[in-house]
Amino acid sequence: MADKTDRKYTAEHEWLDIVGTTATIGITDFAADKLGDVVFVELPKVGATVQAGKVVGEIESTKSVGELFAPVNGTVTEANSAVVDKPELVNEDPFGGGWMIKLEVADASVFDAAEFMTFDAYSALVGE
Amino acid sequence: MSDNSASEHPVTEKFSPLHQIHLHGGASFTDFAGWQMPVSYGSDLTEHHAVRNAAGIFDISHMAEIGVTGPQAIEFLEYALAGKMSNLALMQAKYSLLLDEHAGIVDDLIVYHNAEGEYLVVANAGNHDVVVEELTARSKDFDVQVMDHSDATALIAVQGPRALEILQATEGLDVLEGQQSLIDLKYYWTTSATFSGDSVYVARTGYTGEDGFELYLDTSNAAMLWQALVTAGAPLGLIPAGLASRDTLRLEAGMPLYGHELGRDILPAQAGLGRAVHFTKEGDFVGRAAAETGPAEGARVLVGLTSEGRRAGRAGYSLVDGDTVVGEITSGALSPTLGHPIAMGFVDPKYSEPGTVLDIDVRGSKIPATVTALPFYKREKN
């Protein structure tokens, strides 16, 4: 996967690692820290069609519930079963083993149209 | 993703006297009633388990400390609070409730009898202003002074099975001559100590379900005492712990949290706190008549709930019987100690019997939950 400085970011504290028409999606270290220890992850089924802005998964910590949003319209091509079995991966390795899903879009231009943040813009947003 | 626990930023932020220590300790912070308090120092689960198995040290300096002194202190407290105060022995502590005239719960608090004619009322940070106002207003017909010491007082809790050893091993912390020793100090009793010459008020109280102590002292000495406790405790497994673990610990112990299980719209009897209201005490107290009348017929009551799997019901989720909403969860989490979800919530009385099975409505999907007697977790006493 691309270095986290080369990924795209959303205001919902998700990252996207985009290769062609597919994006690997996870939550940022900032989001994982805010949630606390993650104890439960629920992800959409492979093959599911998702809509931008809609909730597609849940990430629960001991103290709160976070939601995974689809950043773009697309189809789920993979869901990370490792993170479902071992939710602590979200805290231990949010940019790596803690990834959530892979989404395929109809055309790569969808990613450009979504106007995601750069790493620097996202870092500024969360004050780091 | 979004975090539903995020709270609005207050106009002014308050900082604990231990804030610098928390910053250096790598804490992440949360807003709690306008205070920036440590939510965790890394892993709230690790902190939770440390308290159950060894010890944790908490900064709870955001709590409100209000002094009540004067010749009529007892009479005043008997009138202002729901519990019986006249039998509170010197150096004893008591859990009590501040009720409004409708017997709604304004706050739950602990009253410490720390000297002859001197009491310390410790209230929740979120209710600081209203408790100070109410106590002051209720004191006008009594020869008594109500003084807010909150800004000058630090409060450190050391909780866990090794808490006693840790306090005993803490350099510079000494119980005063003639005062109760730490080892003989009973639950809900207090003793006077010094730390490097300054006075520390030590209570065997807590909010975790474990043995432990709460130490009150002047803010100026708080950082030094914290460091001394950590130095003594680290070899015994003590780690700093934040509000996230404090919440899961108190939930396992079945202890109510104001704003969740307690509030103005809840009468003590509904929350299982009838024992904190003393109808046998002489004279009137605020909320007495309404508390005697009790909750309306059919008013919901607090219960514990357990379920299977890993997905927990959370505050605000409905409890349903078929398609009928029969209650609501007020606190819930996956219990770190027990390994399954636990919750507290209010249900219609006919669903309050232990063993009753309900469904938790988790945003459309239903998770079965069984009504269970509180607490969920009780420590083994040695």
Side-chain angles (χ1 to χ4, degrees):
Chain A
M1 276 191 277
D3 187 82
K4 68 180 183 178
T5 56
D6 290 329
R7 297 183 199 178
K8 298 295 184 188
Y9 293 84
T10 75
E12 272 74 48
H13 307 287
E14 292 172 9
W15 55 258
L16 295 92
D17 182 17
I18 299 167
V19 180
T21 54
T22 299
T24 306
I25 296 159
I27 68 168
T28 64
D29 52 352
F30 176 84
D33 281 354
K34 282 284 170 202
L35 274 171
D37 286 324
V38 174
V39 293
F40 176 82
V41 174
E42 188 178 64
L43 298 176
K45 287 196 170 62
V46 172
T49 315
V50 298
Q51 274 187 300
K54 298 279 190 215
V55 173
V56 296
E58 289 182 3
I59 307 153
E60 294 199 19
S61 67
T62 48
K63 66 192 168 78
S64 67
V65 182
E67 289 166 330
L68 185 72
F69 292 92
V72 286
N73 292 343
T75 305
V76 179
T77 57
E78 273 187 65
N80 185 5
S81 58
V83 82
V84 173
D85 295 338
K86 248 186 111 203
E88 58 267 34
L89 281 173
V90 180
N91 300 101
E92 290 168 3
D93 194 11
F95 291 104
W99 67 276
M100 301 279 162
I101 55 171
K102 293 191 183 193
L103 267 191
E104 187 168 30
V105 297
D107 190 291
S109 64
V110 170
F111 291 126
D112 298 327
E115 297 186 345
F116 296 122
M117 280 179 269
T118 62
F119 177 75
D120 286 346
Y122 178 73
S123 300
L125 175 78
V126 299
E128 280 172 1
Chain B
M1 64 138 265
S2 72
D3 179 355
N4 296 339
S5 73
S7 50
E8 288 175 28
H9 276 282
V11 183
T12 54
E13 289 180 336
K14 290 183 170 180
F15 295 96
S16 153
L18 297 163
H19 193 73
Q20 288 303 320
I21 286 183
H22 305 321
L23 280 175
H24 289 303
S28 50
F29 293 86
T30 187
D31 168 61
F32 193 91
W35 290 78
Q36 286 295 303
M37 298 303 291
V39 64
S40 159
Y41 298 81
S43 164
D44 45 276
L45 281 176
T46 303
E47 293 161 23
H48 182 110
H49 293 307
V51 172
R52 288 277 178 259
N53 300 319
I57 181 167
F58 298 85
D59 176 13
I60 46 173
S61 298
H62 57 313
M63 302 285 287
E65 293 88 8
I66 304 151
V68 173
T69 55
Q72 287 193 299
I74 294 173
E75 290 88 336
F76 161 68
L77 290 169
E78 289 273 277
Y79 169 72
L81 306 179
K84 188 166 180 139
M85 295 295 145
S86 57
N87 60 354
L88 196 58
L90 195 61
M91 304 309 278
Q92 197 180 5
K94 189 174 224 169
Y95 178 82
S96 195
L97 298 172
L98 184 72
L99 303 180
D100 64 21
E101 61 191 87
H102 307 295
I105 301 168
V106 178
D107 201 9
D108 65 333
L109 25 82
I110 295 179
V111 182
Y112 296 97
H113 188 185
N114 48 8
E116 213 54 72
E118 284 185 35
Y119 295 81
L120 185 71
V121 176
V122 178
N124 285 299
N127 290 325
H128 169 272
D129 294 356
V130 67
V131 173
V132 171
E133 281 164 26
E134 281 296 325
L135 290 180
T136 304
R138 292 174 192 194
S139 71
K140 66 181 184 343
D141 294 332
F142 296 91
D143 186 2
V144 70
Q145 263 199 312
V146 174
M147 296 263 287
D148 181 10
H149 301 304
S150 304
D151 287 346
T153 308
L155 177 50
I156 297 169
V158 179
Q159 300 280 302
R162 308 202 77 169
L164 172 64
E165 288 169 79
I166 290 164
L167 261 68
Q168 288 172 326
T170 299
E171 195 88 25
L173 181 68
D174 299 301
V175 171
L176 289 179
E177 193 111 347
Q179 290 284 325
Q180 189 67 262
S181 66
L182 293 172
I183 194 165
D184 293 325
L185 194 62
K186 293 194 188 107
Y187 190 50
Y188 268 74
W189 285 79
T190 64
T191 194
S192 291
T194 60
F195 176 69
S196 299
D198 297 299
S199 60
V200 183
Y201 191 63
V202 182
R204 202 155 198 167
T205 48
Y207 194 53
T208 60
E210 294 301 329
D211 184 21
F213 299 86
E214 293 179 311
L215 299 95
Y216 295 82
L217 74 162
D218 192 89
T219 51
S220 57
N221 306 313
M224 265 176 65
L225 177 58
W226 177 281
Q227 301 286 29
L229 288 163
V230 168
T231 301
L236 300 173
L238 172 119
I239 58 170
L243 294 185
S245 58
R246 187 168 159 84
D247 193 46
T248 47
L249 288 159
R250 71 93 194 165
L251 177 58
E252 287 183 345
M255 294 170 161
L257 173 62
Y258 198 88
H260 289 252
E261 286 73 41
L262 308 176
R264 282 274 179 132
D265 55 345
I266 297 162
L267 270 63
Q270 289 177 265
L273 294 174
R275 63 185 156 75
V277 185
H278 284 248
F279 296 116
T280 54
K281 71 182 181 182
E282 286 175 29
D284 197 19
F285 61 87
V286 180
R288 178 171 194 143
E292 276 174 348
T293 305
E297 180 144 344
R300 287 179 175 172
V301 293
L302 185 67
V303 295
L305 296 152
T306 58
S307 42
E308 292 176 3
R310 297 184 70 77
R311 190 193 233 180
R314 307 283 174 166
Y317 290 8
S318 292
L319 293 161
V320 296
D321 175 17
D323 292 327
T324 312
V325 175
V326 300
E328 186 177 307
I329 289 178
T330 49
S331 296
L334 176 69
S335 163
T337 307
L338 304 171
H340 60 74
I342 56 172
M344 290 198 273
F346 286 86
V347 296
D348 293 344
K350 71 169 187 169
Y351 296 96
S352 63
E353 274 304 306
T356 306
V357 178
L358 297 167
D359 281 325
I360 304 171
D361 182 347
V362 183
R363 296 176 297 283
S365 54
K366 287 179 180 172
I367 297 175
T370 306
V371 173
T372 314
L374 294 169
F376 303 104
Y377 167 85
K378 208 166 183 178
R379 73 188 163 98
E380 284 171 32
K381 296 197 174 146
N382 39 17

